[in-house]
Amino acid sequence: MCRRENNDLSGNDVVQSFITGSGSFPTFASLNSQLRILVLSLLPSTISDPKNLGTVLHFIYLSSGEGMGGGIRQLLEQVHRLSRRSLFRVLSMGPLPTHLAFIMDGNRRYAKKRGLEDGSGHKAGFSALMSMLQYCYELGIKYVTVYAFSIDNFRRKPEEVQSLMDLMLEKIKSLLDKESIVHEYGIRVYFIGNLGLLNDQVRAAAEEVMKATAKNSRVVLLVCVAYNSTDEIVQAVKRSCVEKADRDVERIQLVDIEENMQMSVAPEPDILIRSSGETRLSNFLLWQTGNSQLFSPDALWPEIGLRHLVWAILNFQRSHSYLEKKKKQL
Amino acid sequence: MSTIIIAFNNTDIAFNISPEPSMEAVPSSQLYYTVCLLSLHNHHNFLINQFHKRMISLRVPAPSSFNLQRLNSQALERRWRLGRDCFLSFSPSCVENRIGLGVRSTKSEMAPFTAAEEETLPEGLQPELMPKHVAVIMDGNGRWAKIQGLQPWDGHRAGVEALREIVELCGKWGIQVLTVFAFSTDNWIRPKIEIDFLLSLFERTLKSELETLAKNNVRISIIGDSSKLPKSLLEVINEVEEVTKNNTRLQLIVAVGYSGKYDVLQACRGIAQRVKDGEIDVEEIDEGLIEQELETNVTEFPYPDLLIRTSGELRVSNFLLWQLAYTELFFAQELWPDFGRNGFVEALMSFQQRQRRFGGRKS
């Protein structure tokens, strides 16, 4: 698979020029971090025979060009997947949360930081969401809730609201594709919120996705659009009043309100992660997060990565035994 | 070579001076929780033994030794104030033929707020960005007591001291409402002796602080499920609320037996009753209506701007559910008795640096 450009160059020379930086070979420093990790991991096997290293370095040099780009990227992805799997296996030795909630904050700030146009922050946010979902489901977390759009967000400029709605429509429709993450993991999708406030197209697409995934049961994704926790509570109170209208109102119990909540399809979140460093709830899951761990990393939502998730879960595991004891006492 | 024992409670005081250490003169039936011991002789070991036995029968926390090295200055001050209130504990190593200190009364020493002190905000805080309503979860008393080597109820007493300090600061700095989470519905599972102590501490503090609070124009409101509280406490609560009803400077809301879900539930019941009576229509139920029915309707600013939780726990623990929709949360690492002025200033500075957008956009 690898070609030798100059047949008279021995492995030693390649190594020398690689490390010292002379010649036409790329230097170690000029490789990106992924390739550097790969080189370092391959070093032990080639330490006995420098010629092997030369071969490897040829391979890298050539593949970092156009021809072999896809190959090396796939190889790296496999390496990442393997290391992630072993990391998750270590994490699952301890207690894992059943339900994670995310507030996806900071998309516009990210776009501004990178000097991109306004709409692209949300697109970057969507791809960050997809990778977070992938990590969560690989880890085995059954319920994931995300705060996509709040009722307060309707107060923003109409152009921004419209572009967000268009993006949502596009992404909701893409969930129905065959190769989407929904089918890969068998996700059941719920759209929670006052769907009557959305425009007809988005609402229809959302209902279609809900119907299409109704039979999946492995993992659950709850997307909160046009959602406000206070609004949810008001609707639940209305329904309880209607239900108990003819009976004794004193007998309205906590469970009556709770079963009328839209979020009753999932248990209470164990961890609530809000990106961009703000520590407030912003009218999200007020009723359900009474006993959840709150975690607010400083990274903006498109920058969020595996390390934040792992850190949140480690912190959760630390206080888990104490909380379980308290729950048993109640 | 004589031993003097002074014992007192709110109404009584008893003396006993005798060559032999003895506690017979102490009327055991009436004594409540404070006994002071002065020893002019090195009899303290024996006395403390007797003392321990007596204390247990009187339901009093026994004296315990404390490790001087582990106390920082704030904790020492806290400890001194604690001892000042009732009794001082001696450790055999630090009392050798020493005269113990006397005891002062439990009267509060909160100084009246003067107008001049109102403007002296510490450096870095801007008066126009001060929050109107601050909520505090006073967590960590038990842990503090454990670290200091005391009993849990001593931690709660230290917590009351810390609360006094914060109330003073709020009054001076123009914060208009302060809500504190004193006792949650989840706390009913604690051991009965601790609950009894907490509620009696609450009752005593209310009674002793009433005068000072009235003088300082502070209004007290109590929210929460009062059905499980003892009757004497309920009477004191009613009296305090009545007396301070018209004060305007600072409103102190104490949440006793409170839980956020319970609050929404009772609001729901109130609304359902009104619907049943025909006063309102089901379709008219909206957020404003629920806000009116919640227990925090006793104040003009029911929504806290800032919530502070001490002891490093990152949870809200079912406090003020509905009202926390847009509240800035601040989690402090210190335990509540250590929180004091420094921690409060740090929380306020952090609050003033935050950008609050309420779902919209900062243009």
Side-chain angles (χ1 to χ4, degrees), chain A residues 298-318:
Chain A
D298 281 326
L300 300 170
W301 178 251
E303 293 168 353
I304 205 152
L306 183 60
R307 62 189 184 285
H308 302 109
L309 180 65
V310 169
W311 188 242
I313 292 181
L314 285 174
N315 274 323
F316 166 78
Q317 289 181 339
R318 229 170 33 167

Side-chain angles (χ1 to χ4, degrees), chain B residues 17 33 45 116 171 253 288 327:
Chain B
I17 305 174
Y33 28 69
N45 276 328
I253 302 179
T327 306

Side-chain angles (χ1 to χ4, degrees), chain B residues 82-135:
Chain B
L82 207 58
R84 173 199 74 187
D85 253 358
C86 51
F87 70 96
L88 290 170
S89 57
F90 289 77
S91 100
S93 57
C94 67
V95 165
E96 295 278 33
N97 290 332
R98 239 206 274 165
I99 301 176
L101 297 169
V103 168
R104 301 190 214 156
S105 71
T106 51
K107 220 182 208 180
S108 136
E109 286 183 9
M110 194 157 70
F113 311 142
T114 57
E117 289 173 33
E118 234 187 78
E119 284 101 48
T120 49
L121 279 180
E123 248 183 63
L125 285 184
Q126 296 161 327
E128 62 271 6
L129 289 176
M130 289 296 272
K132 288 207 188 59
H133 181 165
V134 175

Side-chain angles (χ1 to χ4, degrees), chain A residues 152-153 160 249 279-280 290, chain B residues 273 317 326 328 354 359 361:
Chain A
D152 300 317
N153 294 148
E160 193 182 337
V249 292
T279 40
R280 46 174 189 261
Chain B
Q273 186 64 47
S317 291
Y326 298 102
E328 297 288 335
R354 306 217 185 157
R361 280 269 188 238

Side-chain angles (χ1 to χ4, degrees), chain A residues 47-67:
Chain A
I47 214 83
S48 51
D49 190 0
K51 275 197 213 137
N52 288 342
L53 180 58
T55 318
V56 165
L57 289 171
H58 266 295
F59 179 55
I60 292 171
Y61 172 56
L62 296 166
S63 58
S64 54
E66 285 164 356

